[in-house]
């Protein structure tokens, strides 16, 4: 098999599972009772409720993206460039919400501030009422999604800081203090990375419906889901996702036109020898306390509440009895999805990194577009494409869920692979080519063994995102194939809070455990290597 | 007898609709390399030496002109007719490109496997080539466990293991100290005489070029400025120095 065949096949596969369903869905939205019609769109545009929901979505996305940027960038700089104590620990701690489904944080806060929560049972009724009103409204939604998406901005800031050529900072340090260098050299250089983080948070918030749904704040994404699942009004559900698709497209187009090249320029260094970290001096202890408090409030508290609430063997026994089969299904689908995503992502990442085919940029943009697209769009698209009598072998099985994962999350594995491959000099593969190795052999014997750590990380990230996925699965899962996140959501309405808390803790364990195992493996591996070298 | 023939080759980068020619990295370049000859390309950074070598290796197609290796047309006018693996050449890269996950033996063996050489022959040939570069005791070592000079020998052994007619070397000694640099130059010349391959060698160091080359090609801005043997090259640089003095 040649390079051209494999890479073209992978690209066509992504088009087949990502673009075709969306096109099919749009075409279907213009058909009512077998004839061309704009009925679905007319109903949508004439309803004032839809405009209010759209305004809600915008307000939520705007506030979450601004708040995560305002807090996340300074935190990223503190963790990435200063001598703040325990900065590595904080980086990991602030990343945890990214590993768990967004609604789990919301459940944690509801257990703390809700009608039957800790505050209502232990504090004053008036304070509890105010907290309750705030949580189950826009401020609560903003706060929960802020804590869920804060790691994105922090991690992108840290990554951008690591990508800045240290020589540029050293040149600045000769004539200015650290704060001057940060203000005038470093931050202007990482603006593209920060903007990317803000855009990503905005798009993810626009597409989010599990948290607004749980906290009863009505947003536009919820509308298409309700139209589909409650009324089975497929035409209106499809019409409702059009504005979100267009919005995603416009924002990504702007990002592509103004930021992409600049971001790539910043990424072009692997020089790790830079200046020693910036000394915080007398501010060190105050900043440490502030960061620790924020970490506890935003990251630890909601999980702690869930653990305390479910702290009983009988509750966990009940949780396992209720959701054991869903948990096993979740694990199975996540492993299958992650393995396929790692393979497809590897070839897409290779295509993007090597610019191996003329369509490499289209492939890159397409995967990012699908990732940024609200899950409801992908889910409804898959249904409109596969819900036919002769494709029931796909539609009626868990393959629908896997296709949804592949369409949505390929950007993650392809980007991780592309970044890993930048660390491998092209000459490594060229040396294999001169030695007479065909492309498949070069990939198998040189590139993959050298990139195995990156491939493993891409698998883990894919596993986490597949396991925590609710939005796509909720829309496409066939009867009898529900995953744990779906089971938790369906049980929320009429099950004891202790049971839901226990299920959430199980979900967190299932997600975080492989990450811990992998981290331990890497640590032991590195130590063994170091011992060998010595 | 001619082994390599580079005929009026040009290569442009950053071409666009507005600027159809872009920047010429190599411009109307012609050169022949004879069998058993050592040709050195000498010139400052950015003069097109590496681009030219990469075109000969097959990693880049020439935009204009044609390249013939061992009687076979391998590339012409934007088309690669023979891939690098089909050109029967060896190459030592500037960063050596030793595969870090494989042992010294593994680095040499991978290409032999791809060529379908039997296990028995592989063992014999690996031993032979490692003895030639004085690395027989390090067959099981990883590249990271070797010194710079030893890595250099392994890269050389790997490049020569398939007995190529042409060896390309892209500033292979530039990162070594002077003493090791001189010692390895001698070894490369010894190997070239023993194995009888042609050498196309890139450097920006005049002394290295004079030591290594039976013929030196001086490049400037993608073109040949001078071709000659030691005396002609020395004359060229004298003339350059005089011109510079007159200007100042």
């Amino acid at each position: 098999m040649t390079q051209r065949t494999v890479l073209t096949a992978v690209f066509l596969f992504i088009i087949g599972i990502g673009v075709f369903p969306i096109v099919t869905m749009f075409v279907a939205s213009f058909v009512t009772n077998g004839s061309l019609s704009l009925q679905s769109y007319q109903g949508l545009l004439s309803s004032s409720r839809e405009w209010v929901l759209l305004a809600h979505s915008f307000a939520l996305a705007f506030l979450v993206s601004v708040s995560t940027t305002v807090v996340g960038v300074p935190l990223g700089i503190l963790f990435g460039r200063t001598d703040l104590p325990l900065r590595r620990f904080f980086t990991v701690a602030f990343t945890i919400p990214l590993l768990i489904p967004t609604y789990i944080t919301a459940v944690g806060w509801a257990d703390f501030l809700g009608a039957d929560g800790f505050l209502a049972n232990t504090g004053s009724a008036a304070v509890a009422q105010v907290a309750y009103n705030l949580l189950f409204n826009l401020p609560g939604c903003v706060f929960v999604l802020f804590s869920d998406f804060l790691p994105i901005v922090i991690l992108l800031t840290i990554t951008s800081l690591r990508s800045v050529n240290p020589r540029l900072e050293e040149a600045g340090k000769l004539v200015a203090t650290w704060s001057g260098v940060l203000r005038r050299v470093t931050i202007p250089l990482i603006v593209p990375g920060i903007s990317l983080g803000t855009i990503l948070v905005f798009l993810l918030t626009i597409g989010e419906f599990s948290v607004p749904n749980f906290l009863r704040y009505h947003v536009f994404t919820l509308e298409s889901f309700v139209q589909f699942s409650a009324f089975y009004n497929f035409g209106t559900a499809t019409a409702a996702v059009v504005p979100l698709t267009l919005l995603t497209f416009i924002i990504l187009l702007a990002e592509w036109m103004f930021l992409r090249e600049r971001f790539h320029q910043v990424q072009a260094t692997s020089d790790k020898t830079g200046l020693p970290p910036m000394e915080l001096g007398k501010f060190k202890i105050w900043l440490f306390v502030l960061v620790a408090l924020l970490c506890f409030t935003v990251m630890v508290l909601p999980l702690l509440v869930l653990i305390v609430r479910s702290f009983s063997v009988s509750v966990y026994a009940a949780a396992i009895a209720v959701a054991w089969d869903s948990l096993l299904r979740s694990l199975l689908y996540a492993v299958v999805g992650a393995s396929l995503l790692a393979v497809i992502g590897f070839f897409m990442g290779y295509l993007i990194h090597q610019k191996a085919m003329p369509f490499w940029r289209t492939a890159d943009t397409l995967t990012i577009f699908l990732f940024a697209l609200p899950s409801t769009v992908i889910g409804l698209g898959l249904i409109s494409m596969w819900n036919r009598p002769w494709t029931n072998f796909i539609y009626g099985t868990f393959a629908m869920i896997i296709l949804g994962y592949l369409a949505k999350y390929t950007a993650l594995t392809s980007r991780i692979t592309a970044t890993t491959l930048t660390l491998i000099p092209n000459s490594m593969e060229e040396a294999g080519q001169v030695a007479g190795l065909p492309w498949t052999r070069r990939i198998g014997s040189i590139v993959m063994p050298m990139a195995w750590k990156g491939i493993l990380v891409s698998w883990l990230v894919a596993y986490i995102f597949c396991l925590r996925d609710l939005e796509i699965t909720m829309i496409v899962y066939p009867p009898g194939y529900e995953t744990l996140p779906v089971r938790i959501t369906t049980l929320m309405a009429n099950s004891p809070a202790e049971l839901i808390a226990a299920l959430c803790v199980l979900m967190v364990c299932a997600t975080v455990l492989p990450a811990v195992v992998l981290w331990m493996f890497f640590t032991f591996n590195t130590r063994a290597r170091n011992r060998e070298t010595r | 007898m001619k082994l390599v023939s580079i005929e009026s080759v040009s290569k442009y980068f950053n071409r666009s609709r507005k600027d159809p020619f872009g920047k010429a990295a190599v411009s109307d370049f012609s050169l022949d390399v004879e069998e058993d000859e050592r040709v050195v390309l000498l010139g400052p950074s950015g003069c097109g030496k590496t681009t030219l070598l990469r075109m000969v290796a097959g990693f880049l197609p020439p935009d204009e002109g044609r390249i013939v290796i061992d009687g076979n047309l391998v590339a012409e006018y934007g088309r690669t007719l023979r891939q690098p693996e089909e050109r029967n050449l060896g190459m030592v890269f500037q960063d050596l490109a030793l595969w870090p996950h494989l042992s010294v033996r593994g680095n040499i063996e991978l290409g032999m496997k791809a060529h379908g050489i039997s296990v028995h022959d592989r063992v014999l040939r690996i031993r032979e080539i490692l003895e030639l570069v004085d690395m027989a005791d390090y067959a099981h070592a990883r590249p990271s466990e070797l010194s710079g000079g030893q890595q250099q020998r392994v890269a050389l052994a790997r490049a020569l293991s398939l007995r190529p007619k042409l060896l390309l070397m892209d500033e292979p000694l530039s990162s070594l100290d002077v003493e090791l640099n001189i010692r390895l130059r001698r070894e490369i010349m010894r190997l070239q005489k023993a194995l009888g391959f042609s050498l196309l060698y890139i450097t920006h160091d005049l002394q290295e070029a004079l030591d290594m080359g039976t013929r030196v090609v001086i490049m400037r801005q993608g073109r040949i400025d001078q071709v000659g043997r030691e005396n002609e090259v020395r004359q060229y640089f004298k003339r350059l120095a005089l011109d510079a003095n007159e200007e100042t």
Side-chain angles (χ1 to χ4, degrees), chain A residues 303-329:
Chain A
L303 289 181
L304 202 63
V305 168
L306 290 174
I307 292 168
V308 172
R309 171 74 90 170
S310 62
F311 204 71
S312 153
V313 175
S314 61
V315 171
Y316 277 96
I320 287 172
V322 164
W324 177 245
D325 51 344
S326 301
L327 176 64
L328 288 183
R329 269 196 294 273

Short mmCIF file of all heavy atoms in Angstrom, two decimals, chain A residues 303-329:
data_model
loop_
_atom_site.label_atom_id
_atom_site.label_comp_id
_atom_site.label_asym_id
_atom_site.label_seq_id
_atom_site.Cartn_x
_atom_site.Cartn_y
_atom_site.Cartn_z
N LEU A 303 -15.91 17.53 43.72
CA LEU A 303 -15.63 16.08 43.78
C LEU A 303 -15.72 15.57 45.21
O LEU A 303 -16.25 14.48 45.46
CB LEU A 303 -14.24 15.79 43.20
CG LEU A 303 -14.09 15.95 41.69
CD1 LEU A 303 -12.67 15.62 41.25
CD2 LEU A 303 -15.07 15.02 40.96
N LEU A 304 -15.21 16.40 46.12
CA LEU A 304 -15.25 16.03 47.55
C LEU A 304 -16.71 15.86 48.00
O LEU A 304 -17.04 14.91 48.72
CB LEU A 304 -14.56 17.13 48.36
CG LEU A 304 -14.04 16.73 49.73
CD1 LEU A 304 -12.96 15.68 49.60
CD2 LEU A 304 -13.50 17.96 50.46
N VAL A 305 -17.56 16.77 47.57
CA VAL A 305 -18.98 16.72 47.94
C VAL A 305 -19.59 15.41 47.45
O VAL A 305 -20.31 14.73 48.19
CB VAL A 305 -19.74 17.93 47.34
CG1 VAL A 305 -21.24 17.75 47.47
CG2 VAL A 305 -19.31 19.21 48.01
N LEU A 306 -19.25 15.04 46.21
CA LEU A 306 -19.78 13.79 45.65
C LEU A 306 -19.30 12.57 46.45
O LEU A 306 -20.08 11.65 46.73
CB LEU A 306 -19.36 13.64 44.19
CG LEU A 306 -20.00 14.59 43.19
CD1 LEU A 306 -19.39 14.42 41.81
CD2 LEU A 306 -21.50 14.35 43.10
N ILE A 307 -18.01 12.60 46.82
CA ILE A 307 -17.45 11.47 47.57
C ILE A 307 -18.12 11.37 48.95
O ILE A 307 -18.53 10.29 49.38
CB ILE A 307 -15.91 11.61 47.70
CG1 ILE A 307 -15.26 11.45 46.32
CG2 ILE A 307 -15.34 10.59 48.67
CD1 ILE A 307 -13.81 11.85 46.25
N VAL A 308 -18.24 12.50 49.61
CA VAL A 308 -18.87 12.50 50.95
C VAL A 308 -20.32 12.06 50.85
O VAL A 308 -20.80 11.23 51.63
CB VAL A 308 -18.76 13.92 51.58
CG1 VAL A 308 -19.56 13.99 52.88
CG2 VAL A 308 -17.30 14.25 51.86
N ARG A 309 -21.02 12.57 49.89
CA ARG A 309 -22.44 12.26 49.71
C ARG A 309 -22.68 10.76 49.48
O ARG A 309 -23.65 10.18 49.93
CB ARG A 309 -22.95 13.08 48.52
CG ARG A 309 -24.33 12.76 48.05
CD ARG A 309 -25.40 13.27 48.96
NE ARG A 309 -25.84 14.61 48.64
CZ ARG A 309 -26.92 15.19 49.17
NH1 ARG A 309 -27.65 14.56 50.05
NH2 ARG A 309 -27.24 16.41 48.84
N SER A 310 -21.72 10.13 48.75
CA SER A 310 -21.94 8.71 48.39
C SER A 310 -21.15 7.75 49.27
O SER A 310 -21.01 6.59 48.93
CB SER A 310 -21.50 8.53 46.93
OG SER A 310 -20.13 8.82 46.82
N PHE A 311 -20.65 8.24 50.41
CA PHE A 311 -19.71 7.46 51.22
C PHE A 311 -20.40 6.31 51.96
O PHE A 311 -20.61 6.37 53.17
CB PHE A 311 -18.97 8.38 52.19
CG PHE A 311 -17.65 7.85 52.62
CD1 PHE A 311 -16.59 7.80 51.73
CD2 PHE A 311 -17.46 7.36 53.90
CE1 PHE A 311 -15.37 7.29 52.10
CE2 PHE A 311 -16.22 6.85 54.29
CZ PHE A 311 -15.19 6.82 53.39
N SER A 312 -20.78 5.30 51.25
CA SER A 312 -21.44 4.15 51.88
C SER A 312 -21.33 2.95 50.94
O SER A 312 -21.52 3.09 49.72
CB SER A 312 -22.90 4.49 52.15
OG SER A 312 -23.67 3.32 52.17
N VAL A 313 -21.00 1.80 51.53
CA VAL A 313 -20.84 0.58 50.71
C VAL A 313 -22.17 0.23 50.04
O VAL A 313 -22.21 -0.15 48.86
CB VAL A 313 -20.34 -0.60 51.59
CG1 VAL A 313 -20.27 -1.89 50.78
CG2 VAL A 313 -18.98 -0.27 52.19
N SER A 314 -23.26 0.39 50.78
CA SER A 314 -24.56 0.00 50.22
C SER A 314 -24.93 0.88 49.02
O SER A 314 -25.51 0.39 48.04
CB SER A 314 -25.64 0.10 51.30
OG SER A 314 -25.73 1.43 51.75
N VAL A 315 -24.57 2.15 49.10
CA VAL A 315 -24.86 3.06 47.97
C VAL A 315 -24.08 2.62 46.72
O VAL A 315 -24.62 2.55 45.62
CB VAL A 315 -24.54 4.53 48.33
CG1 VAL A 315 -24.62 5.42 47.11
CG2 VAL A 315 -25.47 5.03 49.40
N TYR A 316 -22.81 2.28 46.93
CA TYR A 316 -22.00 1.85 45.79
C TYR A 316 -22.48 0.52 45.24
O TYR A 316 -22.47 0.28 44.03
CB TYR A 316 -20.51 1.80 46.16
CG TYR A 316 -19.88 3.17 46.06
CD1 TYR A 316 -19.76 3.97 47.18
CD2 TYR A 316 -19.49 3.69 44.83
CE1 TYR A 316 -19.23 5.25 47.10
CE2 TYR A 316 -18.95 4.96 44.74
CZ TYR A 316 -18.83 5.74 45.87
OH TYR A 316 -18.32 7.00 45.76
N ALA A 317 -22.92 -0.36 46.16
CA ALA A 317 -23.46 -1.65 45.71
C ALA A 317 -24.69 -1.41 44.84
O ALA A 317 -24.84 -2.02 43.77
CB ALA A 317 -23.80 -2.51 46.92
N ALA A 318 -25.53 -0.49 45.29
CA ALA A 318 -26.75 -0.16 44.52
C ALA A 318 -26.38 0.46 43.18
O ALA A 318 -26.97 0.13 42.13
CB ALA A 318 -27.62 0.80 45.33
N ALA A 319 -25.37 1.34 43.21
CA ALA A 319 -24.94 2.01 41.96
C ALA A 319 -24.43 1.00 40.95
O ALA A 319 -24.76 1.06 39.76
CB ALA A 319 -23.86 3.05 42.28
N ILE A 320 -23.64 0.04 41.46
CA ILE A 320 -23.09 -0.97 40.56
C ILE A 320 -24.21 -1.87 40.02
O ILE A 320 -24.24 -2.22 38.83
CB ILE A 320 -21.99 -1.80 41.28
CG1 ILE A 320 -20.75 -0.90 41.43
CG2 ILE A 320 -21.63 -3.05 40.50
CD1 ILE A 320 -19.65 -1.47 42.26
N ALA A 321 -25.15 -2.19 40.89
CA ALA A 321 -26.27 -3.03 40.45
C ALA A 321 -27.08 -2.33 39.36
O ALA A 321 -27.53 -2.96 38.39
CB ALA A 321 -27.17 -3.36 41.65
N VAL A 322 -27.25 -1.03 39.53
CA VAL A 322 -28.07 -0.27 38.57
C VAL A 322 -27.34 -0.06 37.24
O VAL A 322 -27.97 -0.10 36.17
CB VAL A 322 -28.45 1.10 39.20
CG1 VAL A 322 -28.95 2.08 38.16
CG2 VAL A 322 -29.50 0.90 40.26
N ALA A 323 -26.03 0.17 37.30
CA ALA A 323 -25.35 0.65 36.10
C ALA A 323 -24.13 -0.18 35.67
O ALA A 323 -23.33 0.28 34.87
CB ALA A 323 -24.92 2.10 36.32
N TRP A 324 -24.03 -1.40 36.19
CA TRP A 324 -22.86 -2.23 35.87
C TRP A 324 -22.73 -2.45 34.35
O TRP A 324 -21.67 -2.29 33.77
CB TRP A 324 -22.96 -3.56 36.61
CG TRP A 324 -21.86 -4.53 36.30
CD1 TRP A 324 -21.96 -5.73 35.68
CD2 TRP A 324 -20.47 -4.35 36.59
NE1 TRP A 324 -20.74 -6.33 35.58
CE2 TRP A 324 -19.78 -5.50 36.12
CE3 TRP A 324 -19.72 -3.34 37.20
CZ2 TRP A 324 -18.42 -5.67 36.24
CZ3 TRP A 324 -18.34 -3.51 37.31
CH2 TRP A 324 -17.71 -4.65 36.84
N ASP A 325 -23.87 -2.84 33.73
CA ASP A 325 -23.82 -3.12 32.29
C ASP A 325 -23.47 -1.85 31.50
O ASP A 325 -22.73 -1.89 30.52
CB ASP A 325 -25.14 -3.73 31.80
CG ASP A 325 -26.34 -2.92 32.24
OD1 ASP A 325 -26.19 -2.08 33.14
OD2 ASP A 325 -27.43 -3.11 31.66
N SER A 326 -24.00 -0.70 31.96
CA SER A 326 -23.67 0.57 31.26
C SER A 326 -22.19 0.90 31.40
O SER A 326 -21.57 1.38 30.44
CB SER A 326 -24.50 1.72 31.84
OG SER A 326 -25.85 1.44 31.70
N LEU A 327 -21.65 0.62 32.59
CA LEU A 327 -20.23 0.90 32.82
C LEU A 327 -19.37 0.05 31.88
O LEU A 327 -18.44 0.56 31.24
CB LEU A 327 -19.87 0.63 34.28
CG LEU A 327 -18.39 0.79 34.66
CD1 LEU A 327 -17.93 2.22 34.49
CD2 LEU A 327 -18.13 0.34 36.09
N LEU A 328 -19.71 -1.24 31.80
CA LEU A 328 -18.94 -2.13 30.92
C LEU A 328 -19.03 -1.68 29.47
O LEU A 328 -18.04 -1.67 28.74
CB LEU A 328 -19.43 -3.58 31.05
CG LEU A 328 -19.09 -4.30 32.35
CD1 LEU A 328 -19.57 -5.73 32.30
CD2 LEU A 328 -17.58 -4.26 32.61
N ARG A 329 -20.25 -1.30 29.07
CA ARG A 329 -20.42 -0.81 27.68
C ARG A 329 -19.58 0.44 27.45
O ARG A 329 -18.90 0.57 26.43
CB ARG A 329 -21.89 -0.51 27.41
CG ARG A 329 -22.66 -1.69 26.85
CD ARG A 329 -23.97 -1.24 26.25
NE ARG A 329 -24.88 -0.72 27.25
CZ ARG A 329 -25.73 -1.47 27.96
NH1 ARG A 329 -25.78 -2.76 27.76
NH2 ARG A 329 -26.50 -0.93 28.87
#
